[in-house]
Amino acid sequence: MFFILIALSLLFCFIAAVLISTFLFRPPRGRPDAAPYDPGDIPEEVLGRLTKAVTFPTICTQDYTGTDFAPFEDFIAFLAEAYPLFHQTCSLERVNGYALVYRWKGMDTSLRPMMLTAHYDVVPVEEGTEAEWKYPPFSGAVAEGRIWGRGTLDIKSQITAHMEAAETLMRRNFVPKRDFYFVYGQDEETGGRNGAYKTADYFAERGIHFEGVLDEGGFAVSGVIKGVAATLALIGTAEKGFANYELTLEGEGGHSSMPPAHTALGNAARLIAAIESLPLPSRLTAPVLRLLRNIAGEMGFVTRMAVANIRIFKPLILKILSANYITNAMVRTTFAATMARAGSAANVLPQKAQAIINVRLLPGDSVEGVSAYFKKIAGKLKLPLTVRVLTAEEPSQVSPAEGTVYRRLITLIDEIFPGVISSPYLVMGGTDARKYYKVCDHVYRFTPMLVTNEEKDTAHSTNESVTVANYGRAIHFFIRFIEGFDT
Ligand SMILES: [Zn+2]
C-alpha cells in the first residue's frame, strides 16, 4: 500500500510538472486577419525594370562551358543602364567573368560589411510546357496584378528590388554606416561552382568577413504546414547537404544456366533493401526544434504539451515526424536509391552491378560518415562493396537565430507582415548562401514576399509570377533593411 501511494504521488508530481510547463509555455500566435504592408501603386518604370530583367534568358547549363553567355552580358549591361545611380555609387568587380560584386562604401569601413545576395541565372522552361504558360516565360508581362516569367520569384526580382531600394536611398543622399555588398551569382541553379564559390574565395583572399549575409531561400508563406493557420516567415538558418554515391558490387561472370546463390545484381538489390530498412537515426537540429517551438501555439493541446516538455517527449515527436515522408526529411539524413545498372544480356551473369544512392544530409552528418555507414551495412551482409562519391556538398553550418542581422529581419517581418510568425527553418534544397559561411557566421535565407504554398512552387515550374504588391513590399523591405541597419 505504502509503495502504491509513493508511486501514485510520483505520478501525480510528474503529470503536474508536465501540465505546469505546458501552461507556462507561451509560443507565438499568428494573426491571420492582420493586413500586410500596402506598398500602394508601384510606378510603371519600376515595374518596367523588372519586366525587362525577365526578358533575358540567362540559363546556365550543367556543362558550364556550354552556356550561352550572351544573355548574361546583356543582363549586366541592362542593370547598368536601368540603375545608373547605383552604378555610379557602387564599384563593380566581375569575379570569374560573370559573378557580380558591387560595393557601396559606407562611412565606417572598419565595421564588418553586410552582404545582400541573389542569383541572376534562371532554370529553363521544360520542353513541351511553353503553351501552358498564361503569359510567355520570358515576357515579363504585367497582368492580373502580377509580373509573369522566369526569374520573377527565383530570383531576379530580389536583384532589382535591391537596386530600387539602394537608388531610393541614394537619391536621399543616404550613406550606410558600414559597407554594403550586393553580390549576384550566375550559376546558382547548377550548383554555384563558378559563381558563389569563387566569390566566397574572392572575399576570403581579401580578408573580408561579413556581419551578415542575406540570400533567397525562404518566404512568408501560408499553408505550408498542415494544421497551422498562421502565415510563417521562414528564415533559412541552415541547409541540408547532398551527395550521390555510386555503389559497386562485383560478381562472377558466366552463363546464367548455373548461377551462384546471389548474382552481383541480386547482391545490389539486397544491399539497397538493407540501406532502405536501416536509415540513420532521426534527430532534432536547432532550426527544426525552433520551428516546432514557434508553431506549437497554432497546434492542439497535445502537440503543445509535447513541445513544451520536449525532453520527455522527444522520442515521440521524432516518431511522429518520421512517419510522414515530408517531415521525415526534416529530421533525418535521407537515402534514395535512384539509379541502377547491371548486366548486358538476359542469359549472362553480370560481372558488376552499380546503384546510385542520392543522399540529403542533415547538419551534423558528413559525406564521409555516410560512406562509412554504407560500408558497414555491406559488411553485415558480407558484401565486398566499393563506394565512390560522385558529387557532394556537405550540410551547411547552422546560423544562430539571434544577433544583429537576425533581429533586424524579425523586426522588419513584424513591421511589414504583421501577424506572421517568424521562425528559423532548415532549407531542404541548396542555395548559394551556404558558400558564404567561409566569410560569415550569420548567413540567412529570406525573400520578403508573402506567398501561398502553391505560388511558391511555381518557382521552377509553369506560370512563375510575383504579385505587384509583393514586389513593392520587397523594395520597401530592403529600403528599411539598409537604412535602419546601424540605427
Ligand atoms: Zn533561386
Side-chain angles (χ1 to χ4, degrees), residues 118-119 121 123 153-155 188-189 215-217 430-432 459-460:
H119 61 91
D121 59 317
V123 292
L153 209 54
D154 187 9
I155 186 84
E188 191 268 357
E189 298 292 0
D215 193 4
E216 60 158 348
T431 74
D432 271 348
H460 281 203

Side-chain angles (χ1 to χ4, degrees), residues 37 46 78 105 146-147 182 220 255 259 278 291 304 312 329 340 362 365 376 399 421 423 434 476:
Y37 167 80
V46 173
F78 148 75
K105 214 166 151 207
R146 291 174 169 276
I147 307 129
F182 299 84
H255 199 277
L278 293 169
L291 179 62
R304 225 164 42 238
I312 300 165
L362 213 54
D365 285 341
K376 195 171 132 194
S399 303
I421 298 174
S423 181
R434 68 167 73 223
H476 180 70

Side-chain angles (χ1 to χ4, degrees), residues 155-176:
I155 186 84
K156 283 175 175 164
S157 56
Q158 190 142 317
I159 300 176
T160 51
H162 287 160
M163 294 195 180
E164 296 290 348
E167 284 211 337
T168 305
L169 292 168
M170 287 163 184
R171 279 194 295 272
R172 294 183 201 155
N173 297 317
F174 173 88
V175 180

Side-chain angles (χ1 to χ4, degrees), residues 55-374:
T55 60
F56 303 96
T58 44
I59 299 163
C60 194
T61 50
Q62 280 299 343
D63 168 22
Y64 187 71
T65 51
T67 303
D68 174 11
F69 285 107
F72 290 70
E73 285 293 356
D74 293 346
F75 181 79
I76 296 167
F78 148 75
L79 287 179
E81 202 186 300
Y83 300 102
L85 184 54
F86 183 89
H87 284 73
Q88 268 166 40
T89 313
C90 301
S91 61
L92 167 62
E93 192 87 46
R94 287 173 65 156
V95 175
N96 194 28
Y98 292 94
L100 309 177
V101 175
Y102 295 92
R103 179 189 179 197
W104 186 3
K105 214 166 151 207
M107 288 186 288
D108 185 351
T109 48
S110 70
L111 294 171
R112 270 192 308 219
M114 174 69 208
M115 185 200 298
L116 298 177
T117 183
H119 61 91
Y120 67 101
D121 59 317
V122 294
V123 292
V125 174
E126 206 181 306
E127 248 184 83
T129 64
E130 295 87 347
E132 291 163 28
W133 284 71
K134 289 176 101 173
Y135 305 91
F138 294 99
S139 65
V142 182
E144 303 173 41
R146 291 174 169 276
I147 307 129
W148 300 78
R150 272 283 176 266
T152 50
L153 209 54
D154 187 9
I155 186 84
K156 283 175 175 164
S157 56
Q158 190 142 317
I159 300 176
T160 51
H162 287 160
M163 294 195 180
E164 296 290 348
E167 284 211 337
T168 305
L169 292 168
M170 287 163 184
R171 279 194 295 272
R172 294 183 201 155
N173 297 317
F174 173 88
V175 180
K177 195 159 177 206
R178 68 184 70 226
D179 284 4
F180 268 77
Y181 279 85
F182 299 84
V183 175
Y184 305 121
Q186 77 277 32
D187 65 341
E188 191 268 357
E189 298 292 0
T190 52
R193 305 235 155 249
N194 289 284
Y197 266 112
K198 296 279 199 291
T199 313
D201 288 344
Y202 165 92
F203 289 125
E205 281 158 18
R206 283 157 184 76
I208 300 170
H209 283 258
F210 289 85
E211 179 72 14
V213 169
L214 179 59
D215 193 4
E216 60 158 348
F219 288 104
V221 55
S222 56
V224 72
I225 297 176
K226 236 168 104 184
V228 176
T231 300
L232 304 175
L234 297 172
I235 304 165
T237 52
E239 285 172 49
K240 283 184 96 174
F242 63 86
N244 289 323
Y245 294 84
E246 182 190 70
L247 309 185
T248 305
L249 289 155
E250 311 272 348
E252 293 287 322
H255 199 277
S256 61
S257 58
M258 287 180 290
H262 299 288
T263 66
L265 178 57
N267 281 335
R270 289 165 65 209
L271 179 62
I272 292 170
I275 287 172
E276 285 189 342
S277 62
L278 293 169
L280 282 167
S282 57
R283 266 188 299 123
L284 284 177
T285 53
V288 175
L289 184 58
R290 287 289 292 256
L291 179 62
L292 282 176
R293 293 185 73 86
N294 283 329
I295 61 173
E298 296 287 304
M299 313 291 262
F301 179 79
V302 175
T303 312
R304 225 164 42 238
M305 184 178 72
V307 175
N309 298 276
I310 195 96
R311 260 181 256 173
I312 300 165
F313 294 107
K314 200 195 291 181
L316 179 71
I317 289 177
L318 282 170
K319 204 168 170 192
I320 294 168
L321 293 174
S322 300
N324 171 301
Y325 70 94
I326 296 171
T327 44
N328 181 51
M330 291 164 57
V331 293
R332 203 187 293 277
T333 290
T334 55
F335 306 146
T338 52
M339 294 168 83
R341 180 173 56 209
S344 54
N347 60 350
V348 176
L349 297 174
Q351 284 177 294
K352 192 162 85 171
Q354 286 183 316
I356 304 284
I357 313 289
N358 179 261
V359 174
R360 304 303 173 111
L361 297 106
L362 213 54
D365 285 341
S366 74
V367 173
E368 189 50 47
V370 171
S371 271
Y373 186 65
F374 288 158

